[in-house]
């Protein structure tokens, strides 16, 4: 190969690099290891983490069972080791599954268009807000304090240099639902979008229709956020929203300490050309057979450069495929039954604990830790191989001595009872 | 004569929705061990949906056949060379997949106590340190989810530093050979874009750059090696020009596979850069993600890194949220951790020497292709090739055949095409990046295919213009797809064959 190139050594291929940029020493990285040693290293790291604990943490990351088929499908090299499907003729596998994904997200959310995925729910929120700015020609964003606190932090990071002022509105201190009076007092003719989440960060189901009415009355869009996708198996889809931004981690995506997950943005057809990210469309090949391809690329950075709808390039295709397989395996009846089990488990536990809020909840709720700190309760639970709830004071100073608890189909009754006992003591 | 492939039969497959039958299911939940809750009473009847209209109803075996059949409609690295320029389609080692699924790592909740998360934090801390060593930078954040997300983070850091000095400035300089994500990122971070023309050698023109740099310039976003696969030989001088006016140098690390173990951006004046773990560090592309875009910085940018920051306190890893100068969060939680596990496994398997050898092989393979193809295709920029080479279709265009057509004909020869029509500064670009993964045998087949196609264009251009001929899907009508977009299944079932 060297002689074909016309050099005598590999080093010759780098002789044009200026001497001052060359690294003149070996990298200070240990010598290569065998597969066995690598597996051993990571097993040891896994053993240093919580192993075999029951967990009642939710707050945007949920412990749901992952059907075996999900891993079987995404482990196929044809899906795992392919690139973004630019060459449609040899990418119909990926393109077809994305088209199915887009369709299922629409069915689930009541929207008409869904993109091929975003990085995660938290980044989908500012992308949806930017989209609302383009659609309305307005710049102000009003976000509910019951939207996931970290999603709101990400929104602020994105908003700060785009001339997109973000303000928050509150929640009712007894119900834990949107304070629509506060919303009414803050919304005006400069508001591009109102952002709400349901079930909200407290697990409570919001009145989407009412929020939409308020937003629309002022010419703003309603952005509906979801973090617990399983809830959509049971809950009325947010048909009154204009843009839906969500997180699919609940659909067979393991928590992996926070990522990779997959976000989505879905919307109405009339806003299709303002949606960020990849879109797959149906068409035909020259033989007249149905085929799929990436479409409306003129929105995207590789064509529009600084005028693109977003800088997003890589999305989360393989994770979206996991969600697609999950939705397929559970299907129409299964997702509903799964949601019902979640509801029942959470309500069983909640029935034994002092609740902070009165609003209707799905599989998460806020409990008061009456007289003790959340940390005291969690320490006791850890001693019983149980990871308890998330103390809320860090995110909501007014919610001292409360914790957010989540129960899913994975929560066994005896563990639910143990949590209740520890609270009762 | 096509040596690499011949046709074989694979299955047609309708959409899931066309294959559904009422009542079919592919799952079984265990019986509920608590009393069943009345949904309407718990949530309010108006909050309950009737059903998920149109949702799939298939059995388990129908589900697995569906996805397996569809998988056979894809090309993949596991099938052969995938020479997409600037995408670094290298082999994705399977041990990486296995270790990323270890229960204690895969099922760690981001809010579980730090005392029960030391293993995963150790993985992240180790990776940060190694990436700093590879790039020659001082600290690394693993929070960004992909390359473009890393760019966004990096530019926010630059803005925050300049703002702290009293003036965030107005614009970013971006070479005309840059990825589209660079200018799109600039806009998202509130900067105007000024394009910098490349010179005839395909490099940033130092004189015109020097004229463009003024007190309004916040930074230069440079890709090195650039998208022509050419190392910016004047990079040290370029960095000096920017720094002398108080501006910074951002490096797009998409092409880092040409430099690992050979040269370090931190040693040639770069202030901040991102890496693509899904390129240089072998995490799978997965049909378009997930990626991971760590950002590496020099000391002066550390205070502004996204929060929380991973820190070592005594014998323990901990998250520090008290970072008053931080640009904030760029995503929830801490990043695409599953990709960090895979990248560290790749680094461990290679070791320092192995990483450097991978770089040498990647550059060798690109130069080998360049040398063998050059007699047949136009090579507009003659500067030395690093990890990729960019030809143009200039000779073939005279016969009415363009880069996109040659790409489609390559499919008939059993290869995924190169990157088509990018970078924009090369008219009719054919951008080829073989990576270190490929053997000489695979490269020779690829070279033979391109030479054979060049001959076909001379004798029978129609053959190339109508390609691909042997795929189950022939050339796809992308124009109609964009003109009348159908982006979800609306219930019109195709007649079955």
């Amino acid at each position: 190969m060297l002689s074909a190139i016309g050099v005598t050594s590999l080093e010759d291929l780098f002789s044009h690099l200026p001497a001052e940029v060359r690294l003149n020493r070996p990298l200070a990285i240990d010598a290569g290891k065998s597969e066995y040693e690598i597996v051993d290293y990571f097993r040891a790291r896994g053993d240093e983490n919580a192993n075999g604990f029951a967990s009642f943490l939710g707050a945007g990351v949920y412990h749901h069972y992952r059907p075996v088929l999900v891993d079987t499908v995404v482990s196929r090299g044809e899906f795992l080791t392919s690139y973004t499907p630019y060459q449609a003729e040899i990418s119909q596998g990926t393109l077809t599954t994305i088209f199915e994904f887009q369709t299922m997200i629409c069915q689930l959310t009541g929207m008409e268009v869904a993109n091929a995925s975003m990085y995660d729910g938290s980044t989908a929120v500012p992308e949806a807000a930017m989209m609302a700015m383009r659609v309305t020609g307005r710049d102000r964003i009003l976000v509910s304090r019951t939207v996931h606190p970290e999603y709101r932090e990400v929104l602020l990071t994105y908003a700060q240099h785009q001339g997109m002022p973000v303000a928050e509105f509150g929640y009712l201190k007894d119900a834990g639902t949107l304070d629509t009076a506060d919303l009414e007092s803050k919304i005006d003719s400069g508001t591009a979008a109102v952002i709400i989440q349901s079930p909200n960060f407290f697990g409570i189901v919001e009145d989407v229709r009412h929020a939409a009415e308020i937003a629309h009355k002022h010419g703003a869009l309603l952005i509906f956020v979801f973090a617990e996708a399983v809830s959509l198996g049971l809950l009325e889809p947010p048909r009154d929203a204009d843009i839906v931004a969500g997180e699919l981690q609940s659909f067979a995506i393991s928590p992996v300490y926070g990522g990779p997950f997959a976000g989505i943005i879905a919307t109405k057809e009339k806003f299709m050309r303002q949606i960020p990210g990849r879109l797959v469309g149906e068409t035909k090949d020259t033989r007249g057979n149905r085929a799929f391809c990436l479409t409306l690329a003129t929105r995207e950075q590789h064509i529009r450069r600084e005028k693109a709808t977003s800088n997003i390039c890589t999305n989360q295709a393989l994770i979206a495929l996991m969600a697609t397989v999950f939705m397929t395996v559970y299907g129409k009846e299964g997702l509903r039954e799964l949601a019902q089990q979640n509801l029942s488990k959470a309500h069983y536990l909640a029935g034994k604990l002092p609740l902070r809020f009165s609003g209707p909840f799905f599989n998460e709720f806020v409990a008061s830790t009456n007289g003790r700190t959340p940390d005291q309760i969690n320490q006791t639970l850890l001693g019983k191989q149980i990871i308890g709830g998330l103390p809320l004071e860090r995110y909501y100073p007014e919610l001292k001595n409360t914790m957010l608890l989540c129960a899913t189909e994975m929560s066994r009754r005896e563990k639910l009872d143990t949590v209740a006992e520890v609270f009762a003591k | 004569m096509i040596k690499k492939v011949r046709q074989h039969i694979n299955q047609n497959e309708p959409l899931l929705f066309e294959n559904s039958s009422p009542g079919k299911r592919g799952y079984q939940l265990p019986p509920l061990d608590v009393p069943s809750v009345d949904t309407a009473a718990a949530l309010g009847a108006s909050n309950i949906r009737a059903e998920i209209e149109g949702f799939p109803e298939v059995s388990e075996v129908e589900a697995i056949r569906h996805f397996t059949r569809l998988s056979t409609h894809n090309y993949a690295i596991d099938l052969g060379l995938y020479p997409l320029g600037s995408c670094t389609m290298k082999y994705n080692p399977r041990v990486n997949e296995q270790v990323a699924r270890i229960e204690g790592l895969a099922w760690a909740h981001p809010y579980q106590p730090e005392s029960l998360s030391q293993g995963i934090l150790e993985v992240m801390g180790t990776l940060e340190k190694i990436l700093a060593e590879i790039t020659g930078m001082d600290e690394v954040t693993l929070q960004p989810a992909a390359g473009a997300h890393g760019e966004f983070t990096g530019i926010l850091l630059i803005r925050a530093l300049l703002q702290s000095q009293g003036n965030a400035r107005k614009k970013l300089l971006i070479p005309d050979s840059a990825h589209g994500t660079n200018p799109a990122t600039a806009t998202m971070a509130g900067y105007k874009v000024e394009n910098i023309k490349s010179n005839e050698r395909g490099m940033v023109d130092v004189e015109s750059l020097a004229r463009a740099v003024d007190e309004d310039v916040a930074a230069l976003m440079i890709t090195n090696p650039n998208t022509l696969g050419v190392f910016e030989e004047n990079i040290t001088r370029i960095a000096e020009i920017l720094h002398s006016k108080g501006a910074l140098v951002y490096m797009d690390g998409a092409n880092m596979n040409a430099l690992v173990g050979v040269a370090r951006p931190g040693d040639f004046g770069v202030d901040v850069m991102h890496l693509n773990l899904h390129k240089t560090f072998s995490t799978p592309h997965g049909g378009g993600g997930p990626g991971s875009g760590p950002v590496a910085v020099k000391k002066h940018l550390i205070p502004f890194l996204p929060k929380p920051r991973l820190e070592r306190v005594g014998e323990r890893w901990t998250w520090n949220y008290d970072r008053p100068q931080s640009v904030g969060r760029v995503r929830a939680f801490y990043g695409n951790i599953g990709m960090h596990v895979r990248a560290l496994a790749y680094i461990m398997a290679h070791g320092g020497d192995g990483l450097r050898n991978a770089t040498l092989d990647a550059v060798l393979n690109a130069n080998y292709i360049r040398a063998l193809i050059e007699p047949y295709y136009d090579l507009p920029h003659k500067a030395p090739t690093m990890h990729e080479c960019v030809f143009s279709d200039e000779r073939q265009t005279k016969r009415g055949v363009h880069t996109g057509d040659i790409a489609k004909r390559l499919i008939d020869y059993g290869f995924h095409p190169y990157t088509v029509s990018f970078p924009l500064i090369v008219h009719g670009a054919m951008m080829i990046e073989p990576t270190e993964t490929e053997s000489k045998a695979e490269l020779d087949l690829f070279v033979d295919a391109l030479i054979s196609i060049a001959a076909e264009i001379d004798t029978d251009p129609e053959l190339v213009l109508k390609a691909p001929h042997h795929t189950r899907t022939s050339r796809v009508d992308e124009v109609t797809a964009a003109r009348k977009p159908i982006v979800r299944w609306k219930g019109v079932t195709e007649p079955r064959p």
Side-chain angles (χ1 to χ4, degrees):
Chain A
M1 290 174 81
L2 291 171
S3 63
I5 298 168
V7 294
T8 53
S9 78
L10 280 173
E11 291 299 323
D12 290 350
L13 295 171
F14 297 87
S15 59
H16 61 287
L17 296 195
E20 75 269 19
V21 311
R22 295 289 304 263
L23 179 65
N24 293 317
R25 62 164 176 83
L27 286 170
I29 298 173
D30 291 348
K33 292 190 167 50
S34 67
E35 188 172 298
Y36 169 75
E37 292 166 290
I38 293 167
V39 172
D40 212 40
Y41 169 83
F42 284 102
R43 279 213 184 111
R45 299 293 78 71
D47 289 343
E48 290 164 2
N49 285 352
N51 247 339
F53 281 65
S55 170
F56 288 86
L57 287 169
V61 180
Y62 301 93
H63 195 188
H64 292 297
Y65 180 71
R66 173 198 278 186
V68 168
L69 223 57
V70 172
D71 239 12
T72 308
V73 170
V74 298
S75 297
R76 285 195 67 93
E78 298 90 332
F79 287 127
L80 184 74
T81 75
S82 58
Y83 192 67
T84 304
Y86 290 123
Q87 296 292 339
E89 294 83 358
I90 47 172
S91 307
Q92 287 297 306
T94 296
L95 287 162
T96 308
T97 60
I98 294 175
F99 186 80
E100 292 177 331
F101 171 82
Q102 291 174 179
T103 303
M104 281 191 257
I105 296 302
C106 288
Q107 291 164 345
L108 209 54
T109 59
M111 292 289 111
E112 296 164 342
V113 184
N115 70 9
S117 72
M118 306 298 288
Y119 304 138
D120 71 346
S122 75
T123 54
V125 170
E127 292 276 6
M130 284 148 55
M131 184 179 156
M133 278 176 79
R134 295 191 292 272
V135 167
T136 60
R138 301 173 174 190
D139 59 10
R140 292 191 51 220
I141 302 294
L142 275 174
V143 59
S144 163
R145 284 191 74 222
T146 60
V147 171
H148 194 300
E150 295 196 9
Y151 290 17
R152 282 183 280 133
E153 283 184 52
V154 176
L155 174 64
L156 290 175
T157 304
Y158 272 69
Q160 57 191 332
H161 307 302
Q162 303 197 55
M164 184 165 87
V166 176
E168 295 186 338
F169 63 98
Y171 60 90
L172 298 175
K173 86 178 187 321
D174 294 328
T177 52
L178 301 173
D179 182 348
T180 49
D182 193 31
L183 169 59
E184 293 255 28
S185 74
K186 287 174 175 163
I187 194 167
D188 63 24
S189 60
T191 306
V194 174
I195 306 179
I196 67 165
Q197 176 181 323
S198 182
N200 69 22
F201 189 67
F202 306 138
I204 295 171
V205 178
E206 301 278 17
D207 185 344
V208 183
R209 191 164 301 155
H210 189 204
E213 277 167 14
I214 297 170
H216 294 160
K217 194 168 68 191
H218 293 86
L221 303 189
L222 183 75
I223 296 174
F224 174 93
V225 178
F226 66 88
E228 171 43 296
V230 167
S231 67
L232 286 164
L234 198 52
L235 291 173
E236 180 67 10
R239 297 178 213 278
D240 301 303
D242 303 283
I243 304 172
V244 174
E247 169 60 63
L248 298 180
Q249 181 274 328
S250 285
F251 287 177
I253 299 160
S254 48
V256 212
Y257 204 57
F261 300 160
I264 60 107
I265 289 189
T267 187
K268 305 281 166 104
E269 270 183 7
K270 60 185 172 185
F271 303 136
M272 176 158 44
R273 282 168 203 275
Q274 294 301 336
I275 203 169
R278 311 278 191 209
L279 271 178
V280 168
E282 181 183 328
T283 184
K284 289 196 184 317
D285 70 4
T286 55
R287 297 180 198 129
N289 290 318
R290 177 166 68 189
F292 301 95
C293 63
L294 290 172
T295 195
L296 298 180
T298 49
R299 301 163 296 116
E300 292 187 60
Q301 46 76 25
H302 60 283
I303 309 285
R304 292 272 281 171
R305 299 178 78 85
E306 64 266 27
K307 296 190 183 68
T309 50
S310 167
N311 73 340
I312 193 166
C313 176
T314 291
N315 53 36
Q316 304 284 116
L318 197 74
I319 309 290
L321 177 60
M322 296 170 93
T324 304
V325 180
F326 173 92
M327 289 188 277
T328 304
V329 168
Y330 273 96
K332 185 187 274 192
E333 291 181 3
L335 196 58
R336 190 178 188 90
E337 189 183 336
L338 179 64
Q340 273 166 335
Q341 284 210 0
N342 274 259
L343 182 78
S344 297
K345 298 267 192 176
H347 281 250
Y348 174 80
L349 176 59
K352 298 168 182 286
L353 304 184
L355 296 191
R356 175 65 182 76
F357 296 119
S358 60
F361 61 94
F362 177 59
N363 66 354
E364 278 179 288
F365 57 88
V366 178
S368 298
T369 56
N370 296 346
R372 274 177 295 170
T373 67
D375 285 342
Q376 285 169 329
I377 288 181
N378 280 340
Q379 281 306 323
T380 310
L381 288 170
L382 284 177
K384 298 175 185 295
Q385 294 278 298
I386 291 173
I387 297 173
L390 180 71
L392 289 182
E393 188 184 355
R394 194 171 98 206
Y395 307 97
Y396 300 90
E398 71 276 21
L399 295 179
K400 206 169 157 55
N401 289 338
T402 64
M403 66 163 77
L404 181 65
L405 289 148
C406 173
T408 71
E409 80 283 4
M410 304 287 282
S411 313
R412 295 217 182 96
R413 181 173 185 153
E414 65 265 26
K415 302 287 183 188
L416 298 168
D417 289 338
T418 306
V419 172
E421 284 161 23
V422 168
F423 261 81
K425 270 178 197 152
Chain B
M1 170 67 183
I2 295 176
K3 292 183 200 150
K4 189 163 187 259
V5 283
R6 65 179 183 226
Q7 285 179 284
H8 86 125
I9 287 169
N10 63 10
Q11 314 279 315
N12 292 328
E13 181 63 12
L15 295 173
L16 282 167
F17 320 104
E18 296 162 340
N19 223 11
S20 289
S21 310
K24 276 201 181 180
R25 46 173 71 186
Y27 81 102
Q28 187 180 9
L29 280 162
L32 194 57
D33 62 0
V34 298
S36 184
V37 165
D38 181 313
T39 53
L43 297 169
S46 66
N47 283 326
I48 307 295
R49 74 192 303 164
E51 61 166 349
I52 312 171
E53 213 175 315
F55 226 51
E57 294 179 275
V58 298
S59 69
E60 181 174 333
V61 69
E62 285 169 332
I64 195 154
R65 281 193 182 148
H66 176 76
F67 292 107
T68 304
R69 286 169 180 165
L70 289 179
S71 77
T72 68
H73 303 175
N74 263 7
Y75 188 85
I77 302 172
D78 280 1
L79 291 168
L81 172 68
Y82 213 125
L84 283 171
S86 269
C87 299
T88 314
M89 299 296 284
K90 63 171 70 180
Y91 170 59
N92 308 136
R94 286 314 195 277
V95 64
N96 302 0
E97 296 306 308
Q98 173 137 346
V99 297
R101 287 166 168 79
I102 288 172
E103 184 151 349
L105 305 175
W107 291 89
H109 191 288
Y111 292 143
Q112 71 188 30
E114 279 175 6
S115 59
L116 293 173
S117 309
Q118 290 295 305
I120 193 72
L121 296 176
E122 169 74 18
V123 168
M124 295 176 74
T126 304
L127 181 64
E128 283 188 3
K129 194 161 158 271
I130 290 175
L131 295 179
E133 163 68 6
I134 287 171
T135 55
M137 309 295 280
D138 294 315
E139 278 198 19
V140 173
T141 172
L142 300 177
Q143 200 179 100
H149 203 216
E151 290 175 29
F152 176 61
T153 307
I155 299 304
L156 288 182
L157 296 174
I158 288 173
R159 183 181 262 282
L161 171 68
L162 293 173
Q163 189 66 57
S164 76
Q165 297 166 351
N167 179 7
R169 304 190 175 199
K170 295 197 176 71
K171 61 188 179 186
L172 297 179
L173 303 180
I174 300 180
D176 50 11
S177 58
H179 296 110
T181 49
N182 291 180
T185 295
T187 303
M188 285 178 67
Y191 282 116
K192 297 261 178 276
V193 174
E194 186 171 321
N195 282 301
I196 300 292
K197 282 217 177 315
S198 305
N199 64 21
E200 71 289 346
R201 297 191 69 214
M203 299 182 202
V204 169
D205 186 74
V206 176
E207 298 317 312
S208 50
L209 176 78
R211 281 192 298 278
V213 180
D214 59 25
E215 308 294 321
D216 283 340
V217 172
L220 168 73
M221 287 184 91
I222 192 166
T223 308
N224 196 17
N226 64 30
T227 58
L228 295 167
V230 172
F231 189 85
E232 296 280 356
E233 290 172 7
N234 300 310
I235 185 68
T236 315
R237 172 85 190 106
I238 289 169
E240 280 167 12
I241 292 170
L242 273 296
H243 291 157
S244 72
K245 300 275 176 152
L248 286 88
V249 178
Y250 183 90
M251 188 176 118
D252 181 329
N255 294 338
M256 195 63 198
N257 210 42
L259 298 185
V260 176
V262 170
R264 307 194 308 168
D267 297 338
F268 54 70
V270 170
D271 299 287
V272 47
M273 66 178 293
H274 79 265
L275 294 162
N276 302 74
L277 296 187
H278 47 295
K279 295 180 181 180
T280 316
F281 297 95
S282 86
T283 73
H285 279 77
S292 178
V295 168
V297 299
K298 281 297 183 69
K299 276 200 176 60
H300 46 290
L301 289 160
I302 290 173
F304 309 100
L305 285 169
K307 64 180 175 184
R309 283 291 297 152
L310 183 59
E311 286 177 5
R312 186 86 178 161
V313 177
E315 293 298 299
R316 286 167 43 88
W317 293 102
T318 185
W319 289 109
N320 182 358
Y321 290 82
D322 184 20
R323 304 275 299 186
Q325 288 187 286
S326 167
V327 296
R329 277 185 177 280
V330 294
R331 57 155 289 172
F333 315 115
Y334 322 106
N336 282 350
I337 316 298
M339 302 297 115
H340 307 159
V341 172
R342 289 170 175 85
L344 183 59
Y346 169 87
I347 289 166
M348 288 174 69
H350 281 72
D353 291 343
L355 290 172
R356 185 170 187 277
N357 285 338
T359 302
L360 301 187
D361 285 348
V363 173
L364 173 69
N365 283 352
N367 277 281
Y368 182 71
I369 286 178
R370 170 178 161 164
L372 297 188
I373 301 292
E374 201 172 346
Y376 305 90
Y377 294 88
D378 180 58
L379 184 76
H381 297 282
K382 306 284 195 264
T385 283
M386 296 289 284
H387 66 299
E388 65 191 2
C389 50
V390 181
F391 288 89
S392 96
D393 61 8
E394 192 181 308
R395 288 180 216 171
Q396 289 71 31
T397 296
K398 291 177 184 130
R399 296 206 168 252
V401 177
H402 302 289
T403 176
D405 305 311
I406 300 165
K408 296 297 186 203
R409 183 60 179 154
L410 265 175
I411 294 171
D412 283 333
Y413 281 81
F415 289 99
H416 194 282
Y418 46 75
T419 295
V420 176
S421 300
F422 186 84
L424 304 177
I425 57 168
V426 173
H427 191 77
M430 306 163 57
M431 185 194 205
I432 304 169
E433 180 183 6
T435 82
E436 73 277 10
T437 293
E438 304 306 331
S439 66
K440 178 173 178 295
E442 183 81 356
L443 296 177
D444 283 337
L445 283 170
F446 179 68
V447 166
D448 287 350
L450 274 174
I451 293 172
S452 177
I453 293 169
E456 287 170 356
I457 292 167
D458 285 334
T459 55
D460 185 7
E462 277 298 299
L463 180 69
V464 179
L465 287 169
K466 295 221 165 88
H469 301 280
H470 306 322
T471 45
R472 59 176 295 112
T473 297
S474 64
R475 215 179 271 207
V476 166
D477 181 359
E478 296 184 357
V479 174
T480 304
R483 198 169 288 156
K484 296 179 189 162
I486 304 170
V487 294
R488 74 177 201 278
W489 186 72
K490 291 183 178 174
V492 185
T493 304
E494 290 242 318
R496 295 285 186 84

